[in-house]
Every structure is written in C-alpha cells, then in structure tokens.
Amino acid sequence: MAVLVALGAFLMTLAGGWTAQRVTDRRHLVLGLAGGLMLGVVGLDLLPEALRAAGREVFGVPAALLLFVGGFLLAHLVERLLAGRQAAHGGEEHDHHRAPEVGLTAAAAMVGHSLMDGVAIGAAFQVGGGMGLSVALAVIAHDFADGFNTFTITSLYGNARRRAVAMLVADACAPILGALSTVFVHIPEPLLGGYLGLFSGALLYLAAAEILPEAHHDHPARSTLLCTVAGAAFIWLVVGLSGG
C-alpha cells in the first residue's frame, strides 16, 4: 500500500516539473513562485518537523536549529567555492554565470528530501493505515512544489534541459524507493530531524540568496511579488489541510 501511495507522489512531482517547463516565457514569475514555495516549505513544513523530530538541545539551542544554520552556511560555502573555482578557470562570477554544480547539488538535496518523504510514508503505514494515509496526503500535496523547484533550480544554474529532466525524474522516483526501503531499514527519528534541519537551511539559502534576487532582477514587478506570496500561501494551505 505504501508503494502504491508513493506512485501518487511520483505523478505529482512530474506534474510540478512539467508546469515549470511550460511557463519559461514568464521566467520571473516562475522564479518568484519557486522562491515562495521554497520559503513556505522551509518555514511551515520542514523546520517545524525537524524541531519535533530532533528533540534534544545542544548548549541551550535545539539541535535542529543548529543544523539549520549549518545548512545555510554550508550552502553559502559550497557556492562560493564553486564560483571561485569557475572564476579561476576563466569564468565570470556573475548572475548569468553561476556554477552548474550548485544547481545539481541543490537538486540532489531535493531528491534526498523526496527519498525521506517515501520513508515517512512507509513508516507511517507500519504504524497504521490511517496514519499512513494522513502522511501520504501531506507528501503528495507538496510534491508538486518539489517537482517545480527541482526543475527550476537545476535550470537556473545553467544546466542543460536534459539534466533538469533527469533530476526531475530522480526526484519523482525517490518516494517510491524510500517507501520500499522501510521494508528493510529503520531510520531513527532524531537522525531524520537533524537531516531536515540541515536541508532546511540549505534550501532557505537558495531561496533567499539566489532564486528571489534573480526573480526580481530584471522584472521587479508587483506580479512577481504576488507569485512569491502565493507560493508561501499555497504551502500554508497544504500544511493546514494535511493537519500539519
């Protein structure tokens, strides 16, 4: 049952990526929406779950928040190192000359998150059918945003369309593999919470430092801002309907 439900996540992820491809003539709106979706996913979905799952504190601060800050700084460090390496090889450190590896790394992190979504579905079904369906609803609902963001991030950093499509397909398949893995492997909840905290920090960096500035660079229009707000509001709606 968990694997069958994960197929729904597979289809929803592909639908999100397909939507991102079809609106390339409104790139600033796509990026504005993607930034809002990423902000909503981090602040309203991933980080609360990370705080709940990780539990313990380190020197008075929740471990999930420390990893959140670490993820943000790690994403910044990786981008600076890759941009510096590109500049040393004759590339320009400019908005339109981003290191493609950053996009691939970010997309790979999205795939990892989707894999954890599948694990969550499988673990919930082990608890009971009702719990499994509740978790599956939440995963399927926000996988549209995951697919949308995976394709957008990969493309934004100058990767060819075939790479973006490949990362999208990997992101779509990940929940199925995650659900299957629960037959053999159990991931401790604190470890899962720590991963979510680290991933949240990296995702927020990409949204705040890359996606949103790019969206408003050439088109500082009110419509772009409205797309950003709509993206965050959509995630709020999804979290509310799925019971948090």
Side-chain angles (χ1 to χ4, degrees), residues 102-130:
V102 174
L104 291 175
T105 302
M110 295 293 293
V111 173
H113 169 56
S114 293
L115 187 70
M116 292 299 103
D117 281 346
V119 171
I121 292 175
F125 270 103
Q126 290 179 0
V127 174

Side-chain angles (χ1 to χ4, degrees), residues 159-173:
N159 289 285
R161 183 178 179 275
R162 66 178 182 279
R163 285 188 174 181
V165 171
M167 295 308 297
L168 174 63
V169 172
D171 190 43
C173 293

Side-chain angles (χ1 to χ4, degrees), residues 27-68:
R27 185 170 180 269
H28 59 291
L29 299 180
V30 172
L31 294 175
L33 179 61
L37 290 170
M38 292 166 72
L39 175 62
V41 165
V42 169
L44 306 178
D45 186 15
L46 296 181
L47 197 53
E49 178 62 23
L51 288 168
R52 185 196 66 78
R56 72 188 188 92
E57 294 186 351
V58 178
F59 202 62
V61 178
L65 288 183
L66 288 174
L67 287 165
F68 170 76

Side-chain angles (χ1 to χ4, degrees), residues 6 22 30-31 36 46 54 60 62 65 73 77 107 111 117 124 132 135 166 187 202 205 219 236:
R22 301 299 295 179
V30 172
L31 294 175
L46 296 181
L65 288 183
L73 294 175
L77 176 63
V111 173
D117 281 346
V135 171
I187 298 179
Y205 176 82
H219 297 275
W236 184 18

Side-chain angles (χ1 to χ4, degrees), residues 1 7 19 26 37 50 95 98 124 127 135 168 192 215 221:
M1 177 60 74
L7 286 173
T19 301
R26 293 289 184 268
L37 290 170
D95 282 345
R98 291 186 171 93
V127 174
V135 171
L168 174 63
L192 179 60

Side-chain angles (χ1 to χ4, degrees), residues 72-90:
F72 189 97
L73 294 175
L74 180 62
H76 177 62
L77 176 63
V78 168
E79 185 189 37
R80 291 296 88 200
L81 288 175
L82 290 174
R85 189 182 72 176
Q86 185 183 38
H89 286 81

